[in-house]
Amino acid sequence: MMMPSHSAGHITFLLSAMLLLPATSFLQPQAHSLISKISTEHNQQQHCYYMTTNDEDEDDYIDEDSLGDWRSFRMNLANSAASSTSTSSSTIDGIDLLEESSKKTTTTTSEDVPSSSSTRAESRPKSVSKQNELLLSAQNSALAEEYINGVWAHESSIPEVGGLVCRMPLESEIYRGSPDSFMYNKLQTFLESDEYGTEDVTTRNTNNNGQRSLRSSTTSQSMSFSALAAKTVFWYRGAEKLLKQEMVKIMSTANTNGRIDPSELDEESLELLQLYMDHQSTWQEVCLVTSNNGGGSKTITINRPMAFKLSKSMARLVLMGAYQAGESDSVAVTRKEKDGQETQNLVKFLSAFENQCAVYVGGPDDMDKPAVLVHGIEDLPGAVEISRGTGIYQGGLEAAIDGVLSGKYKPLDFRFFVGHTRYTKGQLEDAVTKGKYQPIACSRPLVLKQCIQLPKPLWHEVLEFCGGELKEISKLELSKREDL
């Protein structure tokens, strides 16, 4: 990873403030700032399906559209297999469908705590935030009904178009990371050492209220009691402690002016500093994969709100994009209307969306281009489904404007994204392999719902729906938050 241009020389010693923070908030960036390694096998989506009859050798083509949402089918298959009485072991996307059910657990009254005999599929909750559901009902009643009656999500091993990739915490990234990484190897050694003992896990507070993460054989109200939860707490707390130690070491190299010279850092420290800075800029991103082919991948970050209403300048940016002021000035300037037709389009757009419009920062690439419109309206003229069976569509702006003006649609039926993130061939998959992102297959309400002042942030909502280790990671990260 290349160091950002602003850090090529001396880096402003902003990290020193972290020494004043409690350990639980050490690696948490501001909310508004812009596992052992996964080894699961994944059956990729096939774009053509065939069957052979006993009477003839010819292959009959099966229309992919007739299969409906294959992601939903896969999820239903996982759930039904997990609840069956079969004793055979099977997995889908690396998810255990059947686990041992002979382990005894401590009884608890918390409705969020499954027994350790629960299967991974059975531990996936059907609801994670009633407040989020009420907000969605007020914004889009049809989508809310779809959400309440059948929302689902589960981890996958590779990015899929129409699915999500979620930015993982730095603790998770180094734990899941590449064996070639200094931090990965240092963490594995640290977890096995006497320096990291059980007291580091069992006696430390998870927030300012003195809530315990895990102590002996009991659990806090926010932590599931299971072997999986205990394992997750163990490596997460170990990574957290190691990261703090290493960052303190980096900060000790600062000069009298409080600046760090990267050229004076050893290779291990430089790697961590790069990981840290990248994590700060992509903290808890939830990204929709909109394309993934031989030429590379493209994602849109769906949980970075930019505006809830439209000013005239914002409307120009969304509708027409921006242009660069000049070679010597890289500041993007909102472009003006070139003719009467563009002026008419702008006025019409403002009439439809001025008082209520959900605009998001979709990513750093092509932010000077017109915004991408995403929605779930199948028959909207000009709209194209991003992948068959997903029910997620792009485009159709003119029809969307007309529909809002006529009262057929509501402004919050649509989401506008300025910019995206572009990956070269294999780059996104490499980020997944190194533990930076977790691919997640999900039902469309999680993608289409607005992320406007959600009581429970979308990142936590998605991971908790997945259940298992991702749910435990979400709880550990949530325990750092004082604003929720």
Coordinates of all heavy atoms in Angstrom, one line a residue, residues 102-149:
S102 N -24.3 -31.2 21.8 CA -24.2 -31.9 23.1 C -23.5 -31.1 24.2 O -23.5 -31.5 25.3 CB -23.3 -33.2 22.9 OG -22.0 -32.8 22.4
K103 N -23.1 -29.8 23.8 CA -22.4 -29.0 24.8 C -23.4 -28.3 25.7 O -24.4 -27.8 25.3 CB -21.5 -28.0 24.1 CG -20.5 -28.6 23.3 CD -19.7 -27.5 22.5 CE -18.6 -28.1 21.6 NZ -17.9 -27.1 20.9
K104 N -23.2 -28.3 27.0 CA -24.1 -27.7 27.9 C -23.7 -26.2 28.1 O -22.6 -25.8 27.9 CB -23.9 -28.3 29.3 CG -24.4 -29.8 29.3 CD -24.3 -30.4 30.7 CE -24.8 -31.8 30.7 NZ -24.7 -32.4 32.0
T105 N -24.7 -25.4 28.3 CA -24.5 -23.9 28.5 C -25.1 -23.4 29.8 O -26.0 -24.0 30.3 CB -25.1 -23.2 27.3 OG1 -26.5 -23.4 27.3 CG2 -24.5 -23.6 26.0
T106 N -24.7 -22.2 30.1 CA -25.2 -21.6 31.3 C -26.5 -20.9 30.9 O -26.6 -20.2 29.9 CB -24.2 -20.5 31.9 OG1 -23.0 -21.2 32.2 CG2 -24.8 -19.8 33.1
T107 N -27.6 -21.1 31.7 CA -28.9 -20.5 31.4 C -28.8 -19.0 31.6 O -28.2 -18.5 32.6 CB -30.0 -21.1 32.3 OG1 -30.0 -22.5 32.1 CG2 -31.3 -20.5 32.0
T108 N -29.4 -18.2 30.7 CA -29.5 -16.7 30.9 C -30.8 -16.2 30.4 O -31.4 -16.9 29.6 CB -28.3 -16.1 30.1 OG1 -28.5 -14.7 30.2 CG2 -28.4 -16.4 28.6
T109 N -31.2 -15.1 30.9 CA -32.5 -14.5 30.5 C -32.4 -13.6 29.3 O -33.5 -13.2 28.8 CB -33.1 -13.7 31.7 OG1 -32.2 -12.7 32.1 CG2 -33.3 -14.7 32.9
S110 N -31.3 -13.3 28.9 CA -31.1 -12.4 27.7 C -31.6 -13.0 26.5 O -31.2 -14.1 26.1 CB -29.7 -11.9 27.5 OG -29.6 -11.2 26.4
E111 N -32.5 -12.3 25.8 CA -33.1 -12.9 24.5 C -32.1 -12.9 23.4 O -32.3 -13.6 22.4 CB -34.3 -12.1 24.1 CG -34.0 -10.7 23.8 CD -35.3 -9.9 23.4 OE1 -36.4 -10.4 23.6 OE2 -35.1 -8.8 22.9
D112 N -31.0 -12.2 23.5 CA -30.0 -12.1 22.5 C -28.9 -13.2 22.6 O -28.0 -13.3 21.8 CB -29.3 -10.8 22.5 CG -30.2 -9.7 22.1 OD1 -31.1 -9.9 21.3 OD2 -30.0 -8.5 22.5
V113 N -29.0 -14.1 23.7 CA -28.0 -15.0 23.9 C -28.4 -16.4 23.6 O -29.2 -17.0 24.2 CB -27.6 -15.0 25.4 CG1 -26.5 -16.0 25.7 CG2 -27.1 -13.6 25.8
P114 N -27.9 -17.0 22.4 CA -28.3 -18.3 22.1 C -27.4 -19.3 22.8 O -26.3 -19.0 23.3 CB -27.9 -18.4 20.6 CG -26.8 -17.4 20.4 CD -27.0 -16.3 21.5
S115 N -27.9 -20.5 23.0 CA -27.1 -21.6 23.6 C -26.0 -22.0 22.7 O -26.1 -21.8 21.5 CB -27.9 -22.8 24.0 OG -28.4 -23.4 22.8
S116 N -24.9 -22.6 23.2 CA -23.8 -23.0 22.4 C -24.2 -24.2 21.5 O -23.5 -24.5 20.6 CB -22.6 -23.4 23.3 OG -23.0 -24.5 24.1
S117 N -25.3 -24.8 21.7 CA -25.8 -25.9 20.9 C -26.6 -25.4 19.7 O -26.9 -26.1 18.8 CB -26.7 -26.8 21.7 OG -27.8 -26.2 22.1
S118 N -26.8 -24.1 19.6 CA -27.5 -23.5 18.5 C -26.7 -23.6 17.2 O -25.5 -23.5 17.3 CB -27.9 -22.0 18.7 OG -28.7 -21.9 19.8
T119 N -27.3 -23.8 16.1 CA -26.6 -23.9 14.9 C -26.3 -22.4 14.4 O -26.9 -21.5 14.9 CB -27.4 -24.6 13.8 OG1 -28.5 -23.7 13.5 CG2 -27.8 -25.9 14.2
R120 N -25.3 -22.3 13.5 CA -25.0 -21.0 13.0 C -26.2 -20.3 12.4 O -26.5 -19.2 12.6 CB -23.8 -21.1 12.0 CG -23.4 -19.8 11.4 CD -22.5 -19.0 12.4 NE -21.3 -19.8 12.7 CZ -20.2 -19.8 12.0 NH1 -20.1 -19.1 10.9 NH2 -19.1 -20.5 12.4
A121 N -27.0 -21.1 11.6 CA -28.1 -20.5 10.9 C -29.2 -20.2 11.9 O -29.8 -19.1 11.8 CB -28.7 -21.6 9.9
E122 N -29.4 -21.0 12.9 CA -30.4 -20.7 13.9 C -30.1 -19.5 14.8 O -31.0 -18.8 15.3 CB -30.7 -21.9 14.8 CG -31.3 -23.1 14.1 CD -31.4 -24.3 15.0 OE1 -30.5 -24.5 15.9 OE2 -32.3 -25.1 14.8
S123 N -28.8 -19.2 14.9 CA -28.4 -18.0 15.7 C -28.5 -16.7 14.9 O -28.4 -15.7 15.5 CB -26.9 -18.2 16.1 OG -26.0 -18.1 15.0
R124 N -28.8 -16.8 13.6 CA -29.1 -15.6 12.9 C -30.4 -14.9 13.3 O -31.4 -15.6 13.2 CB -29.1 -15.8 11.4 CG -27.7 -16.3 10.8 CD -27.8 -16.2 9.3 NE -26.6 -16.8 8.7 CZ -26.6 -18.0 8.2 NH1 -27.7 -18.8 8.3 NH2 -25.5 -18.5 7.7
P125 N -30.4 -13.7 13.8 CA -31.6 -13.1 14.3 C -32.5 -12.7 13.2 O -32.0 -12.5 12.0 CB -31.1 -11.9 15.1 CG -29.8 -11.6 14.5 CD -29.2 -12.9 14.1
K126 N -33.8 -12.6 13.4 CA -34.8 -12.1 12.4 C -35.0 -10.6 12.6 O -35.5 -10.0 11.7 CB -36.1 -12.9 12.6 CG -36.0 -14.4 12.4 CD -35.5 -14.7 11.0 CE -35.4 -16.2 10.8 NZ -34.9 -16.6 9.4
S127 N -34.6 -10.1 13.7 CA -34.7 -8.7 14.0 C -33.6 -8.2 14.9 O -33.2 -8.9 15.9 CB -36.0 -8.4 14.6 OG -36.1 -7.0 15.0
V128 N -32.9 -7.1 14.6 CA -31.8 -6.6 15.4 C -32.1 -5.2 16.0 O -31.3 -4.8 16.8 CB -30.5 -6.6 14.6 CG1 -30.1 -8.1 14.2 CG2 -30.5 -5.7 13.4
S129 N -33.1 -4.5 15.4 CA -33.4 -3.2 15.9 C -34.8 -2.8 15.6 O -35.1 -2.5 14.4 CB -32.4 -2.2 15.4 OG -32.7 -0.9 15.7
K130 N -35.7 -2.8 16.6 CA -37.0 -2.4 16.4 C -37.1 -0.9 16.0 O -38.0 -0.5 15.2 CB -37.9 -2.6 17.6 CG -38.1 -4.1 18.0 CD -38.8 -4.9 16.8 CE -39.0 -6.3 17.2 NZ -39.7 -7.1 16.1
Q131 N -36.2 -0.1 16.5 CA -36.2 1.3 16.2 C -35.9 1.5 14.7 O -36.4 2.4 14.0 CB -35.2 2.0 17.0 CG -35.6 2.2 18.5 CD -34.6 2.9 19.3 OE1 -33.4 2.6 19.4 NE2 -35.1 4.0 20.0
N132 N -34.9 0.7 14.2 CA -34.6 0.8 12.7 C -35.8 0.4 11.9 O -36.1 1.0 10.9 CB -33.4 -0.1 12.4 CG -32.1 0.5 12.7 OD1 -32.0 1.5 13.5 ND2 -31.0 0.0 12.2
E133 N -36.5 -0.6 12.4 CA -37.7 -1.0 11.6 C -38.8 0.1 11.6 O -39.4 0.3 10.6 CB -38.3 -2.3 12.2 CG -37.3 -3.5 12.1 CD -37.8 -4.7 12.8 OE1 -38.9 -4.7 13.3 OE2 -37.0 -5.7 12.9
L134 N -39.0 0.7 12.7 CA -40.0 1.8 12.8 C -39.6 3.0 11.9 O -40.5 3.5 11.2 CB -40.1 2.3 14.2 CG -40.8 1.3 15.2 CD1 -40.7 1.9 16.6 CD2 -42.3 1.1 14.8
L135 N -38.3 3.3 11.8 CA -37.9 4.4 11.0 C -38.1 4.0 9.5 O -38.5 4.8 8.7 CB -36.4 4.7 11.2 CG -35.7 5.8 10.4 CD1 -36.5 7.1 10.6 CD2 -34.3 5.9 10.7
L136 N -37.7 2.8 9.1 CA -38.0 2.3 7.8 C -39.4 2.3 7.4 O -39.8 2.7 6.3 CB -37.4 0.9 7.6 CG -37.5 0.3 6.2 CD1 -36.9 1.2 5.1 CD2 -36.9 -1.1 6.1
S137 N -40.3 2.0 8.3 CA -41.7 2.0 8.1 C -42.2 3.4 7.7 O -43.1 3.6 6.9 CB -42.5 1.4 9.3 OG -42.2 0.1 9.5
A138 N -41.6 4.4 8.4 CA -42.0 5.8 8.2 C -41.5 6.3 6.8 O -42.1 7.1 6.2 CB -41.5 6.7 9.3
Q139 N -40.4 5.7 6.4 CA -39.8 6.2 5.1 C -40.3 5.4 3.9 O -40.5 6.1 2.9 CB -38.2 6.0 5.2 CG -37.5 6.8 6.3 CD -36.1 6.4 6.5 OE1 -35.7 5.4 6.1 NE2 -35.3 7.3 7.1
N140 N -40.5 4.1 4.0 CA -40.9 3.3 2.9 C -41.7 2.1 3.4 O -41.1 1.1 3.8 CB -39.7 2.9 2.1 CG -40.0 2.3 0.8 OD1 -41.0 1.5 0.6 ND2 -39.2 2.5 -0.3
S141 N -43.0 2.2 3.4 CA -43.8 1.2 4.1 C -43.7 -0.2 3.3 O -43.7 -1.2 4.0 CB -45.3 1.6 4.2 OG -45.8 1.9 2.9
A142 N -43.6 -0.1 2.0 CA -43.5 -1.4 1.2 C -42.2 -2.1 1.5 O -42.2 -3.3 1.7 CB -43.7 -1.1 -0.3
L143 N -41.1 -1.3 1.5 CA -39.8 -1.9 1.8 C -39.7 -2.4 3.2 O -39.1 -3.4 3.5 CB -38.7 -0.9 1.5 CG -37.3 -1.4 1.5 CD1 -37.1 -2.5 0.4 CD2 -36.3 -0.3 1.3
A144 N -40.4 -1.7 4.1 CA -40.4 -2.1 5.5 C -41.1 -3.4 5.7 O -40.6 -4.3 6.5 CB -41.1 -1.0 6.4
E145 N -42.2 -3.6 5.0 CA -42.9 -4.9 5.1 C -42.0 -6.1 4.6 O -42.0 -7.1 5.1 CB -44.2 -4.8 4.3 CG -45.1 -6.1 4.4 CD -46.4 -6.0 3.6 OE1 -46.6 -4.9 3.0 OE2 -47.1 -6.9 3.6
E146 N -41.3 -5.8 3.5 CA -40.4 -6.8 2.9 C -39.3 -7.1 3.9 O -38.9 -8.2 4.0 CB -39.9 -6.3 1.6 CG -39.0 -7.2 0.8 CD -38.5 -6.7 -0.5 OE1 -39.1 -5.7 -1.0 OE2 -37.5 -7.2 -1.0
Y147 N -38.8 -6.1 4.5 CA -37.7 -6.2 5.5 C -38.2 -7.1 6.7 O -37.5 -8.0 7.1 CB -37.3 -4.8 5.9 CG -36.2 -4.7 7.0 CD1 -34.9 -4.5 6.6 CD2 -36.5 -4.9 8.3 CE1 -33.9 -4.4 7.6 CE2 -35.5 -4.8 9.3 CZ -34.2 -4.5 8.9 OH -33.2 -4.5 9.9
I148 N -39.3 -6.7 7.3 CA -39.8 -7.4 8.5 C -40.2 -8.8 8.2 O -39.9 -9.7 9.0 CB -41.0 -6.6 9.0 CG1 -40.6 -5.2 9.6 CG2 -41.7 -7.4 10.2 CD1 -41.7 -4.3 9.9
N149 N -40.7 -9.1 7.0 CA -41.1 -10.4 6.7 C -40.0 -11.4 6.2 O -40.3 -12.6 6.1 CB -42.3 -10.4 5.7 CG -43.5 -9.8 6.3 OD1 -43.8 -9.9 7.5 ND2 -44.3 -9.1 5.4

